[in-house]
Short mmCIF file of all heavy atoms in Angstrom, two decimals:
data_model
loop_
_atom_site.label_atom_id
_atom_site.label_comp_id
_atom_site.label_asym_id
_atom_site.label_seq_id
_atom_site.Cartn_x
_atom_site.Cartn_y
_atom_site.Cartn_z
N LEU A 7 68.22 -165.80 58.68
CA LEU A 7 67.99 -164.45 59.21
C LEU A 7 68.44 -163.29 58.48
O LEU A 7 67.74 -162.17 58.37
CB LEU A 7 68.71 -164.43 60.65
CG LEU A 7 68.18 -165.42 61.60
CD1 LEU A 7 69.06 -165.40 62.90
CD2 LEU A 7 66.77 -165.16 62.02
N GLU A 8 69.46 -163.46 57.77
CA GLU A 8 69.96 -162.40 56.82
C GLU A 8 69.05 -162.11 55.68
O GLU A 8 68.70 -160.96 55.28
CB GLU A 8 71.39 -162.67 56.32
CG GLU A 8 72.44 -162.55 57.43
CD GLU A 8 73.82 -162.94 56.86
OE1 GLU A 8 73.82 -163.52 55.65
OE2 GLU A 8 74.78 -162.76 57.53
N GLU A 9 68.44 -163.29 55.12
CA GLU A 9 67.58 -163.07 54.00
C GLU A 9 66.14 -162.41 54.50
O GLU A 9 65.62 -161.62 53.83
CB GLU A 9 67.15 -164.42 53.41
CG GLU A 9 68.30 -165.07 52.68
CD GLU A 9 68.05 -166.49 52.21
OE1 GLU A 9 67.03 -167.00 52.63
OE2 GLU A 9 68.81 -167.09 51.41
N GLU A 10 65.82 -162.83 55.75
CA GLU A 10 64.59 -162.24 56.20
C GLU A 10 64.77 -160.75 56.60
O GLU A 10 63.82 -159.96 56.44
CB GLU A 10 64.15 -162.99 57.51
CG GLU A 10 62.72 -162.61 58.12
CD GLU A 10 61.65 -162.94 57.21
OE1 GLU A 10 61.82 -163.73 56.37
OE2 GLU A 10 60.66 -162.07 57.40
N LEU A 11 65.95 -160.38 57.12
CA LEU A 11 66.25 -158.97 57.38
C LEU A 11 66.24 -158.10 56.15
O LEU A 11 65.51 -157.12 56.06
CB LEU A 11 67.70 -158.90 58.00
CG LEU A 11 68.09 -157.45 58.28
CD1 LEU A 11 67.17 -156.69 59.29
CD2 LEU A 11 69.53 -157.45 58.75
N VAL A 12 66.74 -158.66 55.04
CA VAL A 12 66.64 -157.88 53.70
C VAL A 12 65.13 -157.85 53.33
O VAL A 12 64.73 -156.68 52.75
CB VAL A 12 67.51 -158.59 52.68
CG1 VAL A 12 67.21 -158.03 51.26
CG2 VAL A 12 68.85 -158.50 53.02
N ARG A 13 64.43 -158.83 53.37
CA ARG A 13 63.02 -158.88 53.03
C ARG A 13 62.18 -157.82 53.76
O ARG A 13 61.42 -156.97 53.33
CB ARG A 13 62.50 -160.27 53.18
CG ARG A 13 60.97 -160.40 52.63
CD ARG A 13 60.42 -161.88 52.87
NE ARG A 13 61.22 -162.66 52.08
CZ ARG A 13 62.03 -163.65 52.59
NH1 ARG A 13 62.19 -163.73 53.89
NH2 ARG A 13 62.74 -164.41 51.92
N GLN A 14 62.44 -157.80 55.20
CA GLN A 14 61.71 -156.83 56.05
C GLN A 14 62.09 -155.47 55.83
O GLN A 14 61.24 -154.58 55.89
CB GLN A 14 61.87 -157.22 57.47
CG GLN A 14 61.34 -158.63 57.93
CD GLN A 14 59.78 -158.74 57.68
OE1 GLN A 14 59.06 -157.68 57.75
NE2 GLN A 14 59.32 -159.84 57.26
N LEU A 15 63.41 -155.21 55.51
CA LEU A 15 63.75 -153.87 55.33
C LEU A 15 63.25 -153.25 53.98
O LEU A 15 62.84 -152.22 53.94
CB LEU A 15 65.39 -153.82 55.12
CG LEU A 15 66.09 -153.97 56.61
CD1 LEU A 15 67.65 -154.07 56.31
CD2 LEU A 15 65.80 -152.89 57.52
N GLY A 16 63.17 -154.21 53.04
CA GLY A 16 62.55 -153.84 51.70
C GLY A 16 61.08 -153.53 51.87
O GLY A 16 60.48 -152.51 51.39
N ARG A 17 60.20 -154.26 52.78
CA ARG A 17 58.92 -154.01 52.97
C ARG A 17 58.65 -152.75 53.73
O ARG A 17 57.72 -152.00 53.46
CB ARG A 17 58.39 -155.34 53.84
CG ARG A 17 56.85 -155.14 54.14
CD ARG A 17 56.47 -156.39 54.89
NE ARG A 17 56.47 -157.53 54.15
CZ ARG A 17 56.05 -158.83 54.66
NH1 ARG A 17 55.76 -158.76 55.87
NH2 ARG A 17 56.25 -159.84 53.76
N ALA A 18 59.56 -152.62 54.76
CA ALA A 18 59.46 -151.36 55.47
C ALA A 18 59.64 -150.19 54.66
O ALA A 18 59.01 -149.01 54.72
CB ALA A 18 60.39 -151.30 56.65
N ALA A 19 60.56 -150.23 53.63
CA ALA A 19 60.82 -149.03 52.81
C ALA A 19 59.69 -148.79 51.82
O ALA A 19 59.32 -147.72 51.54
CB ALA A 19 62.18 -149.32 52.04
N ARG A 20 59.06 -149.99 51.38
CA ARG A 20 57.93 -149.72 50.49
C ARG A 20 56.71 -149.27 51.16
O ARG A 20 56.00 -148.29 50.67
CB ARG A 20 57.62 -151.13 49.79
CG ARG A 20 58.62 -151.58 48.77
CD ARG A 20 57.93 -152.82 48.02
NE ARG A 20 57.47 -153.89 48.88
CZ ARG A 20 58.32 -154.88 49.36
NH1 ARG A 20 59.58 -154.89 48.81
NH2 ARG A 20 57.81 -155.85 50.00
N ASP A 21 56.48 -149.65 52.49
CA ASP A 21 55.23 -149.27 53.22
C ASP A 21 55.52 -148.04 54.05
O ASP A 21 54.62 -147.52 54.78
CB ASP A 21 54.86 -150.33 53.98
CG ASP A 21 54.27 -151.59 53.19
OD1 ASP A 21 54.07 -151.40 52.01
OD2 ASP A 21 54.29 -152.82 53.87
N HIS A 22 56.81 -147.54 54.15
CA HIS A 22 57.09 -146.42 54.80
C HIS A 22 56.76 -146.66 56.30
O HIS A 22 56.25 -145.82 57.03
CB HIS A 22 56.47 -145.10 54.30
CG HIS A 22 56.58 -144.71 52.90
ND1 HIS A 22 57.83 -144.34 52.56
CD2 HIS A 22 55.93 -144.96 51.91
CE1 HIS A 22 57.81 -144.11 51.21
NE2 HIS A 22 56.69 -144.50 50.71
N ARG A 23 57.26 -147.76 56.80
CA ARG A 23 57.00 -148.13 58.16
C ARG A 23 58.24 -148.42 58.95
O ARG A 23 59.30 -148.80 58.29
CB ARG A 23 56.21 -149.41 58.35
CG ARG A 23 54.70 -149.23 57.78
CD ARG A 23 54.05 -150.52 57.91
NE ARG A 23 52.58 -150.28 57.51
CZ ARG A 23 51.70 -151.39 57.55
NH1 ARG A 23 52.06 -152.66 57.98
NH2 ARG A 23 50.41 -151.12 57.12
N PRO A 24 58.42 -148.07 60.24
CA PRO A 24 59.60 -148.33 60.98
C PRO A 24 59.96 -149.95 61.06
O PRO A 24 58.95 -150.75 61.01
CB PRO A 24 59.47 -147.74 62.29
CG PRO A 24 58.01 -147.71 62.47
CD PRO A 24 57.32 -147.61 61.10
N VAL A 25 61.24 -150.31 61.29
CA VAL A 25 61.56 -151.68 61.59
C VAL A 25 62.53 -151.69 62.57
O VAL A 25 63.47 -150.82 62.72
CB VAL A 25 62.01 -152.26 60.28
CG1 VAL A 25 63.24 -151.63 59.78
CG2 VAL A 25 62.24 -153.86 60.41
N SER A 26 62.46 -152.71 63.50
CA SER A 26 63.34 -152.89 64.64
C SER A 26 64.10 -154.21 64.57
O SER A 26 63.41 -155.18 64.02
CB SER A 26 62.65 -152.66 65.86
OG SER A 26 61.97 -151.48 65.96
N VAL A 27 65.33 -154.26 65.06
CA VAL A 27 66.14 -155.43 65.14
C VAL A 27 66.58 -155.62 66.56
O VAL A 27 67.20 -154.82 67.11
CB VAL A 27 67.22 -155.34 64.20
CG1 VAL A 27 68.10 -156.76 64.34
CG2 VAL A 27 66.91 -155.27 62.73
N LEU A 28 66.26 -156.81 67.09
CA LEU A 28 66.60 -157.08 68.54
C LEU A 28 67.72 -158.08 68.53
O LEU A 28 67.64 -159.18 67.93
CB LEU A 28 65.34 -157.59 69.19
CG LEU A 28 65.60 -158.00 70.74
CD1 LEU A 28 66.05 -156.80 71.54
CD2 LEU A 28 64.41 -158.79 71.27
N LEU A 29 68.79 -157.76 69.14
CA LEU A 29 70.00 -158.75 69.20
C LEU A 29 70.17 -159.05 70.58
O LEU A 29 70.33 -158.27 71.51
CB LEU A 29 71.21 -157.98 68.69
CG LEU A 29 72.58 -158.81 68.71
CD1 LEU A 29 72.42 -160.09 67.87
CD2 LEU A 29 73.65 -157.95 68.26
N LEU A 30 70.24 -160.39 70.87
CA LEU A 30 70.45 -160.97 72.32
C LEU A 30 71.90 -161.51 72.26
O LEU A 30 72.31 -162.25 71.41
CB LEU A 30 69.46 -161.90 72.64
CG LEU A 30 67.96 -161.49 72.72
CD1 LEU A 30 67.05 -162.53 73.08
CD2 LEU A 30 67.79 -160.32 73.69
N ASP A 31 72.61 -161.28 73.30
CA ASP A 31 73.87 -161.94 73.61
C ASP A 31 73.91 -162.59 74.91
O ASP A 31 73.67 -161.95 75.97
CB ASP A 31 75.05 -160.87 73.55
CG ASP A 31 76.42 -161.35 73.74
OD1 ASP A 31 76.66 -162.61 73.26
OD2 ASP A 31 77.36 -160.66 74.03
N VAL A 32 74.13 -163.97 74.88
CA VAL A 32 74.08 -164.72 76.06
C VAL A 32 75.47 -164.70 76.71
O VAL A 32 76.49 -165.24 75.96
CB VAL A 32 73.55 -166.10 75.87
CG1 VAL A 32 73.50 -166.91 77.16
CG2 VAL A 32 72.20 -166.05 75.22
#
């Protein structure tokens, strides 16, 4: 999940698109 977060943040920065993170706590 941490690796994917870094990858998606980098993609969002390159494409100038927003990115959202959803955190669930049971």
Side-chain angles (χ1 to χ4, degrees):
L7 294 176
E8 289 177 348
E9 291 176 353
E10 186 63 26
L11 178 61
V12 172
R13 186 180 299 110
Q14 293 301 329
L15 289 175
R17 178 180 298 177
R20 290 194 302 270
D21 299 338
H22 303 288
R23 295 181 179 180
V25 61
S26 301
V27 178
L28 178 64
L29 178 63
L30 298 177
D31 184 22
V32 180

